[in-house]
Amino acid sequence: MIPIKNKEGIARMRESCAIAATILNKLKELVRPGVTTYDLDQAARDFIAQHGARSACYGYQLGSRRYPAYSCISVNEEVVHGIGSLKRILREGDIVSLDVVIEYNGYIGDNAFTVPLGNVAPRVTELLKVSEEALYLAIKQAQVGNRIGDISHAVQTFVESHGFSVVRDMVGHGVGTSMHEEPQIPNFGRRNSGEKIKAGMTLAIEPMVNLGHYRTKTLSDGWTVVTSDASPSAHFEHTVLTTEKGPEILTIPRPSPASVSV
Ligand code: MF3
Ligand code: CO
């Protein structure tokens, strides 16, 4: 069963998602040549603490492993779940996927995007553009009465029409009081398949798109997922609330009180 959030659950999801988005956007400001992915992760840790939130990544358990960082920072051929490292120094031409998942008041907000560092290869610029557009096309399908497969199908057809591939090994997901709730939301699939979308679902929709082949593998750290052919990969994610009036993106940054003009 896909959880349906009540009024209070929705209010709390709004809060946690706004915080997740604000942190993600603050993190983006720090992405520049010379910075290490460890620096970025430490900044994520600090921002999360400043908001009185908790990282949903830190300590996240998969089998016997616990995720050791506060955010996921994945560079170039890294698809997702990159662990910040002092050895990974960012350089002009890199693309950096930032993924921030936080818990606040018992509810989780999940969002991600990929940013380019200075000038990147034209085909990589295209990869980012197509991946982000795929996310918005997917969100458009999150309509009451549609099915989950409509989201999947929208991503796959658009991405593949541009000659890129969608990752098969990881999927989007429902999100709420836990990071991963039903349903799974693959980025590939058939129209009009899967569960029916109802109002009050909160869905983390997250295309992961490779420039080359869709195949991936996990590094020996047990977490970092990379493309098998070492081609660059992009990741864009929003948490979305389904309503009778259409999808509403919850992971929108909220300006801090100090920056609101009066
Ligand atoms: N956005 C990722 C997801 O939805 C976050 C993974 S958190 C980690 O699965 F702990 F696995 F790193
Ligand atoms: Co997610």
Side-chain angles (χ1 to χ4, degrees), residues 74-259:
S74 311
V75 184
N76 297 339
E77 76 288 354
E78 296 173 354
V79 180
V80 287
H81 304 167
I83 298 166
S85 161
L86 279 169
K87 290 190 205 134
R88 192 91 196 211
I89 304 164
L90 298 180
R91 297 181 312 179
E92 162 113 20
D94 286 341
I95 58 170
V96 185
S97 299
L98 306 170
D99 191 346
V100 170
V101 197
I102 64 98
E103 181 253 318
Y104 183 76
N105 248 326
Y107 283 80
I108 290 182
D110 187 359
N111 64 168
F113 50 55
T114 304
V115 292
L117 253 99
N119 282 321
V120 304
R123 186 68 177 147
V124 175
T125 301
E126 213 177 317
L127 171 72
L128 301 190
K129 188 166 164 268
V130 166
S131 307
E132 188 171 18
E133 270 180 57
L135 170 60
Y136 288 98
L137 289 174
I139 292 170
K140 218 183 251 180
Q141 291 299 318
Q143 303 284 348
V144 172
N146 274 6
R147 291 181 183 272
I148 296 299
D150 294 316
I151 298 174
S152 310
H153 180 79
V155 174
Q156 182 176 21
T157 48
F158 182 71
V159 164
E160 292 180 353
S161 76
H162 287 271
F164 300 117
S165 68
V166 291
V167 169
R168 307 288 205 262
D169 301 332
M170 267 117 11
V171 296
H173 50 94
V175 56
T177 51
S178 25
M179 179 159 65
H180 296 134
E181 297 182 346
E182 281 187 52
Q184 295 201 354
I185 311 174
N187 294 301
F188 56 96
R190 281 180 302 113
R191 200 180 270 153
N192 205 25
S193 69
E195 287 198 71
K196 259 224 163 94
I197 297 171
K198 297 191 179 117
M201 294 178 174
T202 44
L203 307 174
I205 300 177
E206 49 178 322
M208 288 154 266
V209 180
N210 296 349
L211 193 142
H213 199 277
Y214 61 73
R215 223 179 295 111
T216 69
K217 61 182 185 189
T218 303
L219 297 185
S220 58
D221 64 17
W223 291 100
T224 312
V225 177
V226 298
T227 56
S228 294
D229 62 6
S231 70
S233 185
H235 181 206
F236 287 84
E237 175 177 32
H238 273 306
T239 301
V240 171
L241 168 71
T242 58
T243 82
E244 295 292 350
K245 290 186 220 144
E248 181 187 334
I249 299 173
L250 297 183
T251 35
I252 303 286
R254 204 179 278 168
S256 64
S259 68

